[in-house]
Amino acid sequence: MDWKAYVVSLAVGLLVAVIYALLNTRSPAPPIIALLGLLGMLIGEGLTGWVKKQLTIEKAAAECLRDKNFAKDQSAAAQSTKGDVA
């Protein structure tokens, strides 16, 4: 296992400990708080996987460019060429 996973795990644990201290919750958390935390972790993990599958570079680019029109304005182009000929 990569050492980065250990560092991230430690950092998240410290963050949770700070949140527990701010909420005046003892550690380890009471069972209902711990179970709700685990439920939130599972939902977050599943949601992250779903979002990663939905967002690809092609889909993101298509969404950004959806209502854009990159074709030249034909009437403006026609008027400029008529003015050059005369």
Side-chain angles (χ1 to χ4, degrees):
M1 185 176 247
D2 194 15
W3 63 272
K4 292 178 186 177
Y6 293 110
V7 173
V8 169
S9 180
L10 178 63
V12 170
L14 290 171
L15 178 65
V16 169
V18 169
I19 292 170
Y20 274 16
L22 293 173
L23 295 174
N24 294 324
T25 302
R26 69 180 191 273
S27 183
I32 189 67
I33 293 175
L35 288 174
L36 287 174
L38 286 173
L39 179 63
M41 289 170 61
L42 288 173
I43 291 170
E45 185 179 350
L47 194 61
T48 302
W50 181 80
V51 168
K52 283 182 180 180
K53 287 179 185 176
Q54 298 300 315
L55 290 180
T56 62
I57 297 296
E58 293 82 14
K59 287 182 181 179
E63 187 64 28
C64 289
L65 301 174
R66 185 170 36 145
D67 292 325
K68 305 286 186 207
N69 185 2
F70 293 102
K72 290 184 179 179
D73 186 12
Q74 296 299 324
S75 60
Q79 288 175 358
S80 67
T81 56
K82 287 180 184 177
D84 293 339
V85 175

